[in-house]
């Protein structure tokens, strides 16, 4: 819902400058019978662009949050595996060391960098296998944004 609120706010702010610069240009190029649709068209255009911006921003926020959570989960699991299978002099206590946080944040940073480099898209074999879930994700995002 934060993305919807952000999109509405950005669209409302962008509407006035967009109408100021686009309406005169469109009024000259548009036939007389369609000029009544210029302002609603500009409003819709601003809303669509704001929704796309909000979706991209939400994707970035979700990617960072997922990377942080996944990095910490992986680091803690690695420490547990080390405690169980490695011949350590003393077991590593997660609550008394910053090792899990350091490794977790490092993994999170690597994960975010990989996400940026891949453009938040899945690699080739996974994008085909997970296509139904990708379509469902877009459908749900559309429903949350446009259906009240």
């Amino acid at each position: 819902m934060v993305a919807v609120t952000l999109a509405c706010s950005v669209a409302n702010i962008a509407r006035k400058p967009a109408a100021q610069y686009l309406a005169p240009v469109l009024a000259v190029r548009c036939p007389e019978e369609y000029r009544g649709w210029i302002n609603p068209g500009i409003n819709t255009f601003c809303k669509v662009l704001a929704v796309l911006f909000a979706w991209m921003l939400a994707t970035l926020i979700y990617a960072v949050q997922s990377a942080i959570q996944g990095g910490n989960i992986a680091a803690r699991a690695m420490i547990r595996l080390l405690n169980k299978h490695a011949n350590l002099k003393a077991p590593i206590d997660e609550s008394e060391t910053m090792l899990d946080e350091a490794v977790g944040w490092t993994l999170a940073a690597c994960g975010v960098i990989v996400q940026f480099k891949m453009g938040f898209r899945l690699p080739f074999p996974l994008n085909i296998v997970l296509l139904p879930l990708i379509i469902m994700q877009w459908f749900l995002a559309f429903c949350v944004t446009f259906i009240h």
Side-chain angles (χ1 to χ4, degrees):
M1 289 309 277
V2 173
V4 175
T5 305
L6 175 67
C8 288
S9 176
V10 169
N12 288 335
I13 293 170
R15 187 177 299 143
K16 184 178 177 183
Q20 181 180 355
Y21 292 108
L22 292 177
V25 173
L26 293 173
V28 171
R29 298 181 186 262
C30 197
E32 181 70 36
E33 63 267 13
Y34 297 122
R35 288 190 183 152
W37 290 100
I38 291 175
N39 282 333
I42 290 172
N43 291 342
T44 303
F45 177 74
C46 287
K47 287 179 185 178
V48 168
L49 283 182
V51 165
L52 291 175
F53 172 73
W55 279 352
M56 290 185 333
L57 191 60
T59 300
L60 174 67
I61 291 168
Y62 300 148
V64 170
Q65 191 275 336
S66 296
I68 292 169
Q69 183 122 13
N72 284 325
I73 290 170
R76 288 186 184 116
M78 182 188 71
I79 288 175
R80 288 186 198 115
L81 283 172
L82 282 172
N83 284 336
K84 186 175 181 180
H85 297 293
N87 291 330
L88 301 175
K89 293 179 184 176
I92 302 170
D93 187 7
E94 294 174 25
S95 62
E96 293 189 17
T97 183
M98 295 295 290
L99 181 63
D100 56 335
E101 282 82 8
V103 172
W105 282 94
T106 303
L107 288 173
C110 293
V112 170
I113 290 169
V114 168
Q115 286 289 335
F116 269 113
K117 285 188 176 189
M118 295 186 70
F120 299 100
R121 290 186 169 78
L122 289 171
F124 166 64
L126 290 177
N127 65 354
I128 293 175
V129 172
L130 298 175
L131 184 62
L133 294 176
I134 294 169
I135 292 170
M136 181 61 72
Q137 175 190 2
W138 279 102
F139 175 74
L140 290 174
F142 176 82
C143 288
V144 165
T145 304
F146 293 110
I147 299 173
H148 299 278

